[in-house]
Amino acid sequence: MTQTPLLKVNDVSKFYGSRIGCRNVSFELWPGEVLAIVGESGSGKTTLLSCLSTRLMPSSGIVEYHMRDGQYRDLARMGEAERRFLMRTDWGFVHQNPADGLRMTVSAGANVGERLMAVGDRHYGNIRATAADWLRRVEIEEDRIDDQPRSFSGGMRQRLQIARNLVTSPRLVFMDEPTGGLDVSVQARLLDLVRGLVHDLGLSAIIVTHDLAVARLLSHRMMVMKDGLVIEQGLTDRVLDDPREPYTQLLVSSILQV
Amino acid sequence: MTDLATYNFAYLDEQTKRMIRRAILKAISIPGYQVPFASREMPMPYGWGTGGVQVTASILGPKDVLKVIDQGADDTTNAVSIRAFFQKVANVAVTTKTRDATIIQTRHRIPEETLTAGQTLVYQVPIPEPLRFLEPRETETRKMHALEEYGLMHVKLYEDIARNGHIATTYAYPVKVEGRYVMDPSPTPKFDNPKMHMSEALQLFGAGREKRIYAVPPHTDVVSLDFEDHPFEIQHFDKPCALCGAEHVYLDEVVLDDKGGRMFVCSDTDHCEDRREHGHAGEMLARQEAAE
């Protein structure tokens, strides 16, 4: 099977004035692949994610996306309308804080249905059925469909946010610390769910996390960032079991063992 | 009523009128698009129709005949004071008859009588942005209008159905104008939405506090948003008007006593009076006459 990368990132840098956000990052993301970006706070993970997902414009470098029509498109040169359309159909973005990604004052069903309505679905019954189906897939009881996310627990909100993003069957999902702020058992359940969904749907995902356990469970490949630079990348198991860079060794050895 | 000299004709200075007319022209050429304008302080509080008054003042000529209605009525405070205002500052003829008026300034209703070519309906608008309560950021709503991203409007209707089993929005019901812009028709009852569609009259909307003007030119498509399985419907009333017996008009409920007595009467007072003059009588009127 000849395949082509879904996302091609070439020499992306982002400067905030004279400060460095991230520098000279290049990689390719393949269809169905999950890439974890790890590093400590301030290492540029989130800046890089924002540059890739067009939430920020990179200072230099090119991010190209393999569109459904088979063409590679430079995201920075795409029109705003097209970019926003891409973001709400072919992409997903899962925020660390679910309140940023959800509409807290409308019901769970409408949260999931919003993307469908945005792409022109005008049949209430169908929208609702799809929403109910997605709630079931992310293990939220169907009778909560008319409740607002305000009444949901943190874990439920995060699962709802995931459902909201996946309803248009995107090909690429960005996740920014998807398990941050959740307690350990809820984290485990969420990770299990995400792993299942990614596998079933054949999603590609870029996950930013400072938690190496998340990277280990979800990702195929990982990049370690420090001070805006990617200092090491490779298969997740290779990097975690046999870290080459001193910083990565430090990172791996600082995981608490129970 | 004749001491005009203390004011410029129709209160506003000519430069201001010119600025507002330019905004109106732009609004007419892009149906449903909200044109920003430099709204002026008017000698009345915001919420009393400062936007509508500025639009009316800018298009009013000495030969115009003005009608002002508030919730359909010609004789309520808002209507009376705005009518008196224009009599004082422009000395124009005023009327309560819909068919005699060339300019009708309205708050919350469209007259029952079908408007004709040459007439202009000026709406007073409190909140021009239909997406406001769904997306509070003005920068974002403007972008959504620009890129025609109106999925959110249906989220509101979805919520209505999910909570109430039907679309419970009864006023300020969102419409799509000429297949492009989603527009708030001001807080008119949705009963009036079909009247906006392909109307022969020019419809202008002025929002004074929010500093926006928008328009629906004559013969323009105005479609109320809905779902395929929950189509748009207007309100229906069980009884005809208690005074003139009119059916298929918008009725106001009037509480008569503290024992549950109530009546439903035409909200459009001119329409009701006209019918009564032509010998129509509703339940209450017939009963009253029998008693006399």
Side-chain angles (χ1 to χ4, degrees), chain A residues 39-158:
Chain A
E40 58 189 15
S41 294
S43 60
K45 313 185 291 281
T46 301
T47 298
L48 177 60
L49 191 75
S50 301
C51 287
L52 301 179
S53 60
T54 72
R55 298 161 68 83
L56 275 179
M57 275 297 144
S59 307
S60 65
I62 295 173
V63 184
E64 282 180 307
Y65 182 69
H66 193 234
M67 306 290 284
R68 282 186 192 257
D69 62 8
Q71 302 285 315
Y72 278 99
R73 295 288 300 277
D74 181 351
L75 296 175
R77 286 168 185 273
M78 220 181 239
E80 191 173 16
E82 203 179 1
R83 200 161 61 219
R84 284 170 66 111
F85 183 76
L86 186 73
M87 284 179 84
R88 62 170 192 261
T89 53
D90 222 17
W91 289 5
F93 198 106
V94 177
H95 295 261
Q96 174 173 11
N97 179 4
D100 294 341
L102 292 171
R103 290 193 189 279
M104 298 303 276
T105 52
V106 303
S107 67
N111 262 296
V112 179
E114 182 178 342
R115 278 177 162 225
L116 296 173
M117 292 182 249
V119 293
D121 203 330
R122 293 288 176 266
H123 193 284
Y124 175 80
N126 294 350
I127 293 168
R128 197 173 168 80
T130 312
D133 181 47
W134 268 102
L135 290 184
R136 190 183 48 69
R137 289 173 84 164
V138 297
E139 298 167 20
I140 296 175
E141 278 133 60
E142 226 179 290
D143 60 357
R144 302 299 299 269
I145 189 167
D146 292 333
D147 292 350
Q148 294 186 2
R150 281 195 288 208
S151 68
F152 285 11
S153 69
M156 280 170 81
R157 288 182 190 183
Q158 198 56 286

